Structures are given as structure tokens and as C-alpha cells.
Amino acid sequence: MKIKVSQKELNKCINIVQKAITSKTTLPILNGILLEAENDVLKLTGTDLEIGIESKINCEVIEEGSIVIASRLFGDIIRKLPDLEVEIVTDEDNNVHITCGNSKFNIIGQPSVEYPQLPVVNDDISLNIPKDLLKSMIKQTIFAAAQDEIKPILTGALLEVNNKKATLVALDGYRLAVKEISVNSDNNIKVVIPSKTLNEVSRILDDDDSDVIIMFTSSHVLFDFGETVIISRLLEGEFINYRDIIRNEYKSRVKVNTKSIQESIERASLLAREGKNNLVKFTISDEKMTISSNSEIGNVYEELPIDLEGNDIKIAFNSKYMLDALRVIDNEEIIMDFESNVKPCIMRPYEDNSYTYLVLPVRLNENY
Amino acid sequence: MKIKVSQKELNKCINIVQKAITSKTTLPILNGILLEAENDVLKLTGTDLEIGIESKINCEVIEEGSIVIASRLFGDIIRKLPDLEVEIVTDEDNNVHITCGNSKFNIIGQPSVEYPQLPVVNDDISLNIPKDLLKSMIKQTIFAAAQDEIKPILTGALLEVNNKKATLVALDGYRLAVKEISVNSDNNIKVVIPSKTLNEVSRILDDDDSDVIIMFTSSHVLFDFGETVIISRLLEGEFINYRDIIRNEYKSRVKVNTKSIQESIERASLLAREGKNNLVKFTISDEKMTISSNSEIGNVYEELPIDLEGNDIKIAFNSKYMLDALRVIDNEEIIMDFESNVKPCIMRPYEDNSYTYLVLPVRLNENY
């Protein structure tokens, strides 16, 4: 292999594929980045076998070929090189010669035949979503996925496509986040994508409105960003039927400013944190919401103006669960629906049904 | 105590005094910030008994008094409050009532009588140094102070003032950094200031050229920034006579671009790091310096144009010790003086004798 490639572009590509590489792997070759040079294109690949990332750069390929180079060292070398053309040459003993400006590195590579092949995902079943929309779908839901592995399926998010709607759903038994958007697809899709994959997808996504193409097989999903492709295993198993959980009735409906309630809960949670239970109490009555919390070291009261439709209610929540959602809602106001202090609260942006967040209350004894 | 104070200014002051507070203290009251309100000034104090920081704000003092409040909680509360006036009221049971906007906190304080008094340092012996100059003095020397406690005196930096010169010196047995500036003082001062103190001073220092007033007793030093004051213990003991170590003779003198040699050593050190010894070799001959390093995974060669006066030389260094100094030299070019490959290298900015850095080489066996 012999190529000449821009330091800047190579550095960018390495940063992207490194996101799939973990130092915890038991297969040493996975600590490396696979370089494949062919037809004036250099393709870089990184994988941990769960998730694989490929990224391509146009460059001058003088001699085609491939090699695996230690990811961290290679990344550090390229990053520290000057913004010039980098020449990479391999010999038959898998030595890699990297030359740029007055710098010359010789490092030992590994033969590419030992590198595992990423699964093939073709475009038989596919879906186009604008990048910025996919990014906000992921941001508004993924935090609600389970962190522990008690029910492995809940560590992922359900992506459902039917009737020209795409829905992303995550839940962990305490709260549930659902985001729905319109898509131009007649496919029926129902897959569960690992959180880690969606987080990496979200990090690579730009904020522009060009399309990502998502392709599916029964076991894998592929996100095609153009120069970069992410391939991931899907999670196996049946996701919880979340539609049954979301009710539309309420006995109390509150309209409140998103930023005000977020800031009040953040302050109240400072004392909730001292109490180690994150417990924050809400007292909702005509035109006023009081948020309070207490611990051994003290207590806090916050007052907020609200619009209330229906009954007064006293209810308590884990402040973290409330804040996770409030931080990802961009709308100025939210609606909170309550049925009783032992039933979940349902939050939605005001006049916007595309996002639904459901959170279970914490039961308090009567005298608390 | 009853005061009204700006949230923004209070927040800023808390951030400053918190730098002196450690959570590792064995004296619980030192986890708190001392608030003292008197004559329309609120004074905040934090200390770990080694170092103390006081910071003052003008505010409305309705009732004078003092209290100690848990540092982390108080800081978090004030930071999260809106940018409005904060009212702080204490009662006779040491409860603290903090009100701002629609937020009301009640937290338990501690009586201020239990808080230790900071030592008194008066201005009998004092020294004025422009802030930006003091900041660069600290930045260029403090990294060379010893990290371990084998010789406790070397964990500090020597400040010497005589003949209208102020010199700051740090050394750890492998390298030595000296910065000298002119000062308008007839005092003779020789003290050793803990690194930690100088690091905190450097963090608080603005980049402007107004003066810091530094005052001394036999056991303490005080840095007066105006609104903020840092008081620190001095280290006891005799500092090494560093002047004897710095020679002025050389057999080889190299002039080289600071940024180029820094970047070359940084790249070479990527392989030195793999070899776990940070060893980087320099081959200096007419008009050319080669920097190289090797480890099991490969090797690297860097070539740099230089001006050489005197003999060719081959010499090796710990790359970290070279980089620490190169990163804090702002001048475009440096001079490196060598005598032999077992004697220290002396580095100075080109045409600037205010800064001297001396570093010991690593001895190599002949065949290496």
C-alpha cells in the first residue's frame, strides 16, 4: 500500500472510527484501525464487534493495499503531524512508514486478513431521516433507556415505522420517552437499537437537514451519512408494549414555563441530593406550584406561576427523572397531566404532541 | 446577620475562596465558608490551614454578623439562583435563610467563633509585582518543583529579592527553572512558597499589569489582589544553592525555533511513551538536529534546521522534562547550551536572559 492523504482529513476520519474502538477488547486486532486503499479512496474501519464505523477519504492511491495499525498510536501520530500531505507506505513485513514534512515514523502493523469483516447490510429495507431531526429524536429519548442489564432489551430504544410515522421509544421502568416524526416511507419496521449505537450516531450527526439513510436486516442496522457509515447489531427480544402505558385522561392539567420549572427543580434537588434520595415534592393549587425538598442540613421552597385545569394535587418525584426530560425540551412551555399522586405524570411540550414523557411518582406516607 | 448582595458577585467570590477549601479536611468547620458582614462589606473566607483565601464584596449590610456555611452546598445554591439580589439572614440558632426571586432556602450554619483565625501578615516587608509578570514567573517555573515529599523544601519555589531583582526558582533534582525580573524594592527577601499556593495565586491572577502586593513575615506570605487576599504558610528549611549549578560555559550552542522543536519532541515522545521511559535522542551536527525515539512498536526520526556554534553532540533526554519548559517559553527561538552528553543542557529564550532552564541528560550506553 502506498498513499498520499491530507493530514487534516485523515485526522478527522480517525477520530470518527475510533469511537467504535474499545481498549477493553479481548481480540488484540480490534485495538487497530483497518486501512484499505483502493480506487483513489482510503477507507478506515474501527469495530468492537457490536458496532462498526467506516469512514472514507479521497486521496492519491499510488499502490492499493490494506493494513491494520494500532488505533491510539496512529491517531496520536496523525494528530501531531503538521497540516501537510502525509505519505503512508507499507512493506511486505507489515511495517508502516509514515512521512510528513520532516517527520518519519516506522511502526509495526498487522496484516488486514486477520481483521473481522463487518456484516453486509443492503438497502432492501431503508428509511431516510433528516440529520437534525434524527439527532433530536435520539437526544429526547435515549436518556430514558435502562442503564442496567436486568432486562437487556430495555438498554436499547425501539424504532417503529408504520403509517408514514417513525417513533423512537426508550424506557427503564421508572420513566418512558417517546418521540414521533413523519417520514416518507411505506415500510413497516420494528427494531431495537442499542443505546450505545444511538449515542455514537448522535455524536457524528451534524445539525444540518440533509438525510441519513438507515438500512435494516433482521439482525443489523446501518446508518449511512455519506462519507461515514455506522453498522450495529440489533437487540433481540420483544420490547414492552408502551402504547398501553400512556393514558390520555387527567384530573389535573398544569401549563408551566419549561425553563422556570427546570431551574426550580435544579435548585430544589441541591437539598434532595444531600438527602441522597433526590426526592422533590410538588404542591399544585390554583395558579401556583410549590416545589420543595428537605434534608438534614435544611430545606428549600420554590414558587412558580402556573395555569391549572382541574384538581389541586400533592405529588413527589425523583428530581433526576424530571430534569432529564426538561433539559431536552426546547419548547417554551410544557403541559403536565396528573391523575393521582400514585399514577404517572405525563409531560408534553405545549401544543406539540410529537414528544411524550411519562414519569412515575414516588409514594409518600400521609404525614410526610 | 442580614445582608442583600448581588447573586453574580457573591457567586464569583465563592468560587475564589472555595479554591482554599479541601473536602479532605479532618476539621469539619473547614468544609465551610466563613461569612462576615460589617460596614457594608461582606467578607468570605476559606482555608485548609495551609492556605487561606479572603474575598470581599460591597453589599447592603442591614445587620452585621457572621456565620459559617457548608461550602459546596452554599456554592451550588448561589450558582443556581437567578441573576438577582440575594438576601441572607441568620438567626440565633445559626439557621441561614437565603431568599432570591421565588426561591427560599433554609440551611443549618455553624457559629463563626469556631472558625480558625487566619494569621496576621502586615506590610512591614512588602513587594509590588505587576499581575501579568507574576503570572508568567509562576507559569515558567512552578512545574519544575518536586512532586514527591522526599525533600519537602523542593515542593516549593524559592523567591529571592535583592539588588532590585526578584527571582523565582524551582527544581526537583532533574531540572531547574529560574525566572528573574526587575522590581522596585530595596528589600532583601528569601522565602520558599509552597507550589500549591503559587498555583492558586496564578489561577486568580488576571492578565492585566496592575500590581499585586506581596507581604511577608518569617512564617507566612500574603498576596493582596485588592478584593481578594491569599495567605499561605512558607516552607521551612534551606533551599539548594541553585546559582552554583548554572554554568555559563558551553562546547555546543544551538539556536532553534521553539515551536518546531516542541512539536518534534511531542511527536517523538509518542513512541518514547510506548517504550515507557520517555527517552528521546538528539543528534546535533552542522545546521541539523535529528530527534529520534524507538520502542518495540516502531521508531521515529525528526529533522530540524538549527544554527550550531561549536561541537557536534549526541545526547538523550526525558522528553517530558524538555516539553515542560518549551511549552512555557513564548519567545520564537531558544538557545540550548551543551557541554557533554553527561552534563546538563541549559536552555534560554534567544536574546533574553531572564529565564533559564537546566535539564539533566539521560546517560546511554555507547551502542544504544
Side-chain angles (χ1 to χ4, degrees), chain A residues 267-276 293-300, chain B residues 28 31-33 68-75 77 93-98 104-110:
Chain A
R267 284 190 290 267
S269 72
L270 294 176
L271 280 161
R273 179 187 72 189
E274 299 289 323
K276 304 209 192 315
S293 184
N294 55 52
S295 72
E296 275 180 21
I297 198 168
N299 53 52
V300 50
Chain B
N31 281 320
I33 294 176
V68 177
I69 313 181
S71 162
R72 195 174 73 130
L73 180 62
F74 185 51
I77 289 172
D93 297 324
N94 296 309
N95 294 308
V96 185
H97 310 284
I98 303 168
K104 189 165 179 165
F105 286 85
N106 305 299
I107 57 178
I108 300 168
Q110 290 175 269

Side-chain angles (χ1 to χ4, degrees), chain B residues 254-312:
Chain B
V254 168
K255 188 172 89 176
V256 62
N257 181 280
T258 316
K259 193 148 181 276
S260 301
I261 189 172
Q262 180 192 334
E263 290 175 349
S264 284
I265 299 176
E266 279 175 347
R267 285 189 291 266
S269 72
L270 294 175
L271 280 162
R273 179 187 72 189
E274 299 289 322
K276 304 210 193 317
N277 57 9
N278 283 327
L279 195 71
V280 170
K281 283 167 282 176
F282 294 72
T283 306
I284 293 160
S285 60
D286 217 16
E287 311 206 329
K288 198 173 89 174
M289 177 191 277
T290 312
I291 301 173
S292 64
S293 184
N294 55 55
S295 73
E296 276 179 21
I297 198 169
N299 52 54
V300 51
Y301 295 90
E302 294 276 336
E303 248 182 53
L304 280 173
I306 56 166
D307 285 346
L308 172 64
E309 178 198 329
N311 303 341
D312 292 3

Side-chain angles (χ1 to χ4, degrees), chain A residues 97-167:
Chain A
H97 309 284
I98 303 168
T99 319
C100 179
N102 292 319
S103 303
K104 189 167 179 163
F105 286 85
N106 304 297
I107 57 177
I108 300 168
Q110 289 175 269
S112 59
V113 290
E114 292 172 19
Y115 199 85
Q117 282 222 298
L118 297 195
V120 175
V121 180
N122 58 34
D123 58 358
D124 291 352
I125 307 172
S126 75
L127 175 70
N128 287 32
I129 298 185
K131 287 179 182 171
D132 52 356
L133 217 50
L134 178 60
K135 191 166 183 156
S136 88
M137 279 183 99
I138 296 172
K139 185 182 80 171
Q140 292 196 311
T141 53
I142 200 67
F143 64 85
Q147 300 299 310
D148 58 50
E149 295 275 344
I150 297 167
K151 286 191 180 171
I153 192 89
L154 297 186
T155 64
L158 173 72
L159 176 67
E160 259 190 338
V161 181
N162 55 40
N163 299 326
K164 294 194 180 287
K165 298 267 183 201
T167 314

Side-chain angles (χ1 to χ4, degrees), chain A residues 270, chain B residues 7 11 14-15 18 74-82:
Chain A
L270 294 176
Chain B
Q7 180 268 343
N11 185 43
I14 293 172
N15 285 333
Q18 278 183 333
F74 185 51
D76 288 349
I77 289 172
I78 301 303
R79 192 176 59 250
K80 295 269 187 191
L81 286 175

Side-chain angles (χ1 to χ4, degrees), chain A residues 285-316:
Chain A
S285 60
D286 217 17
E287 310 204 331
K288 197 174 87 172
M289 176 190 279
T290 311
I291 301 173
S292 63
S293 184
N294 55 52
S295 72
E296 275 180 21
I297 198 168
N299 53 52
V300 50
Y301 295 90
E302 293 276 337
E303 247 182 55
L304 281 172
I306 55 167
D307 284 348
L308 171 64
E309 177 197 330
N311 302 342
D312 292 2
I313 184 170
K314 285 187 184 188
I315 189 166

